[in-house]
Amino acid sequence: MKLNIAVLAGDGIGPEIMEQGVAVTKAIAQKFGHDISFKEALCGAHAIDEVGDPFPEETFQACMQADAVLFASVGDPKFDNDPTAKVRPEQGLLAMRKKLGLFANIRPVETFDCLIHKSPLKDEIVRGADFICIRELTGGMYFGQKQEGTEEAFDTNYYTRPEVERILRVAYQYARQRRKHLTVVDKANVLASSRLWRKVAQEMMTEYPDVETDFMYVDNAAMRMIQDPRFFDVMVTENTFGDILTDEGSCITGSMGLLPSASTGEHTPVFEPIHGSWPQGKGLNIANPLAQILSAAMLFEYFGLKAEGKLIREAVQASLDANVRTPEIQVEGGLQYGTREVGQWIVDYINQR
C-alpha cells in the first residue's frame, strides 16, 4: 500500500517520541513492502514562534493532502503562565480538529498485565479492564459561543441532532465489533444538551438491537470507572465530559505514556498519544514513546492492515516483558532505558521477525 503521512511533532517531548513513532512506521513499511512517505509540518508553540499561528494554512494543506496524520503534542509553559496570551498552542489543536472535521475521538483503555502494579487501583479491580472511550470532538463548550470578561464569563454547550447521531453511529459500530455493550454518558438530569443526547440515543438504540445500550450520568460514570472499570466495553459522551473521563481512564493503566488514540471524521484521520507535551521532560531522553508507537499501530489498522498493527503491538508487549522501559514504568532495580533506546529495541524486534 502507498500512504502519505503528515508528521506533526509539535512541542515539548513531541519531536523525541515522534522520531520513534516514525522509525517504527518505517520498519513496518519495509517489513511488509509498503510505500510510505512523510511530510513534516509545524504546529503548536513551535508554529507560533515560527509563523505566529499554531495551525498555519500550510500545515492544514499538508494534512488535507495526506492519507493520515501522525501527531505528537502541543503546549508550552510560556503560554500556560500567561493568561493574557491571545494565541495559544492548544488553539492549533482545536483548529486542526475543526478544519479536518474530526468529530470522533477513539481512546482505547487497556491494561498490561506486567504493569498492573503501576496502576493506582487494586489488582483485583483493574486486571482485565479493556474498554474504549469515544468522545465527540468538535461540538459542545469547546466550540460553542463564549464570552470572557473580568466580572462574568460563559461557554455554551451547544449540540445539534446530526452531531449527536453521527458520533452515536461510530460508537455503535465499535460496540458491534467488540462485546456489544454501549454506555451513553450524559448529565440529562441537569443539562438540556444532555437531554438531547439521551433522546437521540433512545431513538437510535432500536436500530441496534444486538447491542446492549445503557445510560449513565457522568458523575456516576467517573465513579464506576474507578470502582469497576471492567463494566465498560464502549462508552460515548460529549466533548467536555469525554476530555475528563478519557484522562481518568488513562490513569488506570499506570501511565499516560501507554495509550494511543485516533481522531476520525470528515477528512484526514489523526493518530496521536493521549498525553501532553510534558515540557519538563523535553530533551532529557526519558519520555515514554510507546503511546506514539501504538498510535502508529492504530494508523495501520485504520487502513485495514491488521497484521502490521499486530506486529507493533507484539513488539511493544515484548519490550515491556523484557523490561526495556523508560523510567516511569521501569521495575525497581531495572536498567534505565531512554526514549531512543526503547524505540530502537522495538525497531530491532520488528526487523528480526
Side-chain angles (χ1 to χ4, degrees), residues 6 39 72 149 210-211 236 242-243 245 256 265 288 311 332-334 347 353:
K39 182 177 177 59
D210 54 323
V211 176
V236 61
D243 193 3
L245 290 177
M256 292 184 75
N288 189 345
L311 181 53
E332 185 175 352
V347 167
R353 286 303 176 272

Side-chain angles (χ1 to χ4, degrees), residues 81-93:
N81 298 327
D82 181 8
T84 65
K86 300 300 183 183
V87 182
R88 297 178 178 278
E90 293 76 14
Q91 290 171 346
L93 183 58

Side-chain angles (χ1 to χ4, degrees), residues 313-328:
R313 295 180 187 281
E314 178 187 314
V316 166
Q317 185 64 63
S319 73
L320 293 172
D321 291 341
N323 291 331
V324 179
R325 313 178 187 183
T326 46
E328 94 284 2

Side-chain angles (χ1 to χ4, degrees), residues 161-176:
R161 173 180 284 270
E163 288 177 312
V164 178
E165 287 179 345
R166 68 182 182 179
I167 192 67
L168 284 170
R169 293 200 186 282
V170 172
Y172 272 114
Q173 288 166 8
Y174 272 90
R176 276 183 162 173

Side-chain angles (χ1 to χ4, degrees), residues 90-268:
E90 293 76 14
Q91 290 171 346
L93 183 58
L94 295 180
M96 178 171 66
R97 292 169 179 170
K98 197 68 173 180
K99 287 186 174 183
L100 295 178
L102 303 174
F103 65 84
N105 180 234
I106 297 100
R107 289 193 180 186
V109 177
E110 184 178 1
T111 55
F112 296 84
D113 286 349
C114 63
L115 290 172
I116 292 294
H117 65 286
K118 288 289 186 179
S119 173
L121 302 182
K122 295 178 180 177
D123 185 311
E124 60 267 28
I125 292 175
V126 73
R127 186 178 293 273
D130 175 13
F131 60 95
I132 293 179
C133 297
I134 297 182
R135 167 190 171 192
E136 199 289 323
L137 207 55
T138 56
M141 284 194 288
Y142 286 25
F143 294 94
Q145 183 183 357
K146 55 184 79 257
Q147 179 176 304
E148 184 174 352
T150 57
E151 300 297 325
E152 62 179 14
F154 66 79
D155 300 276
T156 306
N157 199 42
Y158 178 80
Y159 274 104
T160 65
R161 173 180 284 270
E163 288 177 312
V164 178
E165 287 179 345
R166 68 182 182 179
I167 192 67
L168 284 170
R169 293 200 186 282
V170 172
Y172 272 114
Q173 288 166 8
Y174 272 90
R176 276 183 162 173
Q177 295 166 12
R178 289 171 53 88
R179 301 191 300 274
K180 296 181 170 56
H181 176 204
L182 178 65
T183 302
V184 181
V185 177
D186 60 33
K187 192 63 177 170
N189 58 335
V190 175
L191 301 177
S193 57
S194 280
R195 286 192 285 275
L196 174 64
W197 271 73
R198 185 165 294 207
K199 176 180 174 59
V200 173
Q202 287 173 335
E203 293 172 2
M204 288 181 62
M205 62 188 289
T206 60
E207 300 178 33
Y208 301 91
D210 54 323
V211 176
E212 177 189 358
T213 304
D214 53 40
F215 299 86
M216 195 175 291
Y217 295 146
V218 62
D219 42 355
N220 187 23
M223 291 189 293
R224 193 71 181 265
M225 284 174 67
I226 298 301
Q227 295 171 334
D228 184 17
R230 288 175 294 196
F231 167 82
F232 297 102
D233 178 23
V234 177
M235 70 162 62
V236 61
T237 191
E238 59 98 65
N239 205 342
T240 304
F241 297 161
D243 193 3
I244 297 166
L245 290 177
T246 52
D247 277 2
E248 180 187 6
S250 72
C251 294
I252 290 174
T253 66
S255 172
M256 292 184 75
L258 293 169
L259 298 182
S261 74
S263 297
T264 64
E266 299 169 5
H267 301 297
T268 314

Side-chain angles (χ1 to χ4, degrees), residues 291-305:
Q292 186 76 67
I293 291 169
L294 288 169
S295 295
M298 290 188 75
L299 186 157
F300 282 112
E301 290 162 351
Y302 176 85
F303 291 101
L305 304 175

